Amino acid sequence: MNLFEVYKLWDIEPVRGLDTTLWDKNGEIYTDLYGGHAVISVGHSHPHYVKMLSDQLGKLGFYSNAVQNSLQSDLAARLGRICGYEDYRLFLCNSGAEANENALKTASFHTGKAKVLAFRKAFHGRTSGAVAATDNPKIQAPFNSTENIVFVPLNDLEAVAAELSKGDFAAVIIEGIQGVAGIYEPTSEFMHGLRELCDRYGCLLILDEIQSGYGRTGKFYAHQHCGVRADIVTMAKGMGNGFPIGGVIISPAVKASFGMLGTTFGGNHLACTAALAVLDIIENEHLIENAVKIGAYFEKAFGADGNIDKALKEYRGKGLMIGLELKDEYVGLRDRLLFERHFFTGAAGAQVIRLLPSLTVSQETAESFVQAWKELTSQK
């Protein structure tokens, strides 16, 4: 049997990692500034993370949600305190797509309505409801086609109001910062207007913080830069530092009932342990503060203050969620950074390089990347 080939793969196989350094099977060394789609939040093989998971595996790796698991309660309490939503409740699952699926389902249960408002260029996952709310027909099978999802442009309050005023929407779902689209932010004015419109027309505001959450932008969730509160927040990627886990935090106004949501593997002992280890490291090593510091360095180095780097059309993002939009003549720079200078980065199409490093990334590592960038672009 062979693999079902749905991924375009680089001919590189990492076999070991430590913080932001990777070694491939041939012993070549790489610097990881992408973290596997923003998943690696506290660095590869952090000793505290490894010890907690190893200790838990030696005791109990899994049992079902039919019995008590105090690790889930511990995680809910810790997460609520750190993220600022202490009065909300936590549902645990396995991935970002599942988190969004359960968020949409919860909103529909609560309101008794079926329709959801989403935004152009949105990416919310690949399961049935999540992919229907993703603005990319190429990854939607006919099975996923539904009239229950309506897309409007980001930052267009008039378009939102025109749809929500119809009164048949269960929820609005929006990313704290659009990641896959190329790092696009909703404005603070738009977010406050969106909150007011959701309240006016009786639908829930769902914030998808799967990529932008967990301290990456300098706040625990990206929407907190705007000072608004969501009814439901979804998270995953950085939550477990590579161990599959997702979460949905839900307003106390939404009533839970037995059987309303469910999962076999969600909130298992190893997943909760991984998530608790991540929160330990984020707090103990002041990683949200580090995201602010290194993000400010990148902004200055790439001229986000107005003197923009010669290879860039635009610098976008906050903290360590960065989009570098290339001028046409520099398309291909991502490959050169990888194969000539051994820096892993991400992309959003051919023109945007995405930086989503571990929140542990050091000033020295950031400076080495900028130096490599400057050297390669000076050869153009």
Side-chain angles (χ1 to χ4, degrees):
M1 183 183 293
N2 293 318
L3 296 175
F4 191 57
E5 295 183 355
V6 293
Y7 301 113
K8 182 180 179 180
L9 303 177
W10 299 118
D11 190 20
I12 299 170
E13 184 180 354
V15 294
R16 185 164 67 93
L18 184 63
D19 197 13
T20 55
T21 302
L22 292 168
W23 288 263
D24 75 4
K25 65 180 182 180
N26 300 314
E28 294 286 344
I29 299 174
Y30 295 82
T31 301
D32 184 9
L33 296 184
Y34 192 53
H37 311 299
V39 166
I40 302 301
S41 53
V42 297
H44 297 281
S45 304
H46 191 290
H48 179 69
Y49 177 86
V50 171
K51 184 177 188 306
M52 282 189 66
L53 276 168
S54 298
D55 289 350
Q56 181 60 46
L57 185 59
K59 292 185 287 187
L60 181 67
F62 173 82
Y63 206 76
S64 82
N65 284 308
V67 296
Q68 297 288 328
N69 178 356
S70 61
L71 291 169
Q72 294 183 357
S73 300
D74 293 346
L75 176 56
R78 287 282 305 283
L79 178 60
R81 176 177 60 78
I82 294 170
C83 78
Y85 279 92
E86 287 189 79
D87 58 335
Y88 280 44
R89 290 151 306 156
L90 175 66
F91 176 78
L92 292 165
C93 51
N94 306 288
S95 69
E98 284 184 51
N100 283 333
E101 201 82 26
N102 282 291
L104 295 168
K105 186 178 179 183
T106 298
S108 186
F109 270 130
H110 177 73
T111 62
K113 300 172 184 177
K115 295 186 76 172
V116 171
L117 192 73
F119 293 92
R120 293 292 173 198
K121 300 184 179 179
F123 186 94
H124 295 294
R126 291 176 180 267
T127 54
S128 189
V131 79
T134 292
D135 188 23
N136 184 353
K138 292 181 179 179
I139 63 172
Q140 294 171 349
F143 171 74
N144 307 125
S145 179
T146 174
E147 295 181 356
N148 286 331
I149 307 291
V150 176
F151 292 99
V152 297
L154 186 67
N155 291 321
D156 187 340
L157 274 178
E158 288 188 7
V160 173
E163 292 296 337
L164 295 190
S165 65
K166 297 172 184 177
D168 54 353
F169 283 84
V172 175
I173 186 168
I174 184 171
E175 293 160 89
I177 295 177
Q178 289 188 333
V180 173
I183 316 298
Y184 290 99
E185 297 181 54
T187 66
S188 182
E189 178 185 19
F190 179 74
M191 289 297 291
H192 282 276
L194 194 58
R195 175 71 274 175
E196 191 275 327
L197 288 169
C198 286
D199 292 339
R200 184 191 307 174
Y201 294 114
C203 60
L204 300 189
L205 178 58
I206 301 172
L207 256 297
D208 176 343
E209 294 280 1
I210 287 158
Q211 188 174 118
S212 52
Y214 258 74
R216 175 157 299 282
T217 68
K219 298 282 189 182
F220 198 86
Y221 299 125
H223 71 272
Q224 291 171 324
H225 287 281
C226 301
V228 299
R229 283 176 77 80
D231 298 302
I232 299 176
V233 183
T234 59
M235 69 209 85
K237 294 189 184 298
M239 190 175 185
N241 201 52
F243 198 99
I245 183 171
V248 188
I249 62 171
I250 302 164
S251 165
V254 178
K255 183 181 177 181
S257 61
F258 293 138
M260 176 180 174
L261 306 176
T263 172
T264 296
F265 297 105
N268 68 72
H269 296 72
L270 285 176
C272 287
T273 299
L276 286 164
V278 166
L279 292 178
D280 283 347
I281 297 163
I282 285 175
E283 284 199 295
N284 294 340
E285 299 187 11
H286 308 288
L287 295 188
I288 296 178
E289 294 87 342
N290 191 59
V292 173
K293 173 188 168 186
I294 304 301
Y297 166 76
F298 278 130
E299 282 191 26
K300 184 175 180 181
F302 286 107
D305 57 358
N307 185 26
I308 195 154
D309 183 90
K310 70 175 186 176
L312 295 181
K313 290 182 180 178
E314 189 175 16
Y315 180 103
R316 296 191 291 270
K318 279 186 169 68
L320 294 177
M321 187 171 184
I322 298 166
L324 303 168
E325 185 172 355
L326 299 168
K327 293 177 180 175
D328 293 345
E329 60 267 34
Y330 290 95
V331 170
L333 181 58
R334 182 187 178 215
D335 286 4
R336 295 190 66 198
L337 285 163
L338 177 60
F339 293 109
E340 296 180 31
R341 299 305 178 96
H342 286 192
F343 283 98
F344 273 100
T345 64
Q351 301 246 196
V352 180
I353 291 176
R354 286 193 289 160
L355 303 183
L356 298 163
S358 164
L359 308 191
T360 61
V361 65
S362 68
Q363 179 81 19
E364 180 183 14
T365 298
E367 289 173 356
S368 69
F369 175 75
V370 171
Q371 181 180 351
W373 175 288
K374 301 288 187 184
E375 289 173 356
L376 290 175
T377 55
S378 69
Q379 296 168 14
K380 189 72 180 174

